[in-house]
Amino acid sequence: MFRKIDETISVAPQISVEQVQQAADQGFTTIINNRPEQEEPGQPSGDAIREAARGAGLAYVAIPITPGGFTAQQVEAMQKALSEAKGPVLAFCRSGTRSTFVWALARGAAGDDPATLAEKAANAGYDISPIAPLLARR
């Protein structure tokens, strides 16, 4: 379920409250929620995930991203969350794609090579070619 991009981050589709403890057991230290509230009926609330994360000793960051695109503030918030993490991060959204995209944009803004980012994402099952023009501009 959790797809490892590299040693610092894995991504996932929507996680459940129960999976928060699984994330902690697997060594994650931070959960980043890239999903807007009530995007889909029946999804757990961000508050429920946050409380489960706190209960499991994990940091929790909410950076909701709608399917419509990314803002500079969201990319900056992702950079900050990644840089402040005390260990591996688990980021999630509906499918894991937005989490992968915003990770790639944050790492690209930090100077990582776009081709390396694309390879890491592909190894985890994600295609970041839709954001390649954004990465090329950084």
Side-chain angles (χ1 to χ4, degrees), residues 59-123:
Y60 174 87
V61 180
I63 308 169
I65 299 170
T66 62
F70 305 91
T71 66
Q73 292 81 9
Q74 290 165 325
V75 173
E76 289 167 10
M78 189 67 164
Q79 275 185 295
K80 182 176 189 249
L82 293 170
S83 70
E84 291 178 353
K86 305 287 189 232
V89 170
L90 175 63
F92 74 91
C93 60
R94 188 185 62 76
S95 68
T97 301
R98 279 175 277 173
S99 293
T100 302
F101 283 9
V102 74
W103 159 80
L105 292 168
R107 293 307 314 149
D112 288 13
D113 175 55
T116 301
L117 295 171
E119 182 179 349
K120 287 180 178 185
N123 289 339

Side-chain angles (χ1 to χ4, degrees), residues 28-42:
F28 291 99
T29 62
T30 302
I31 291 180
I32 299 176
N33 179 354
N34 295 129
R35 192 140 197 223
E37 288 293 322
Q38 301 176 2
E39 181 178 33
E40 203 169 69

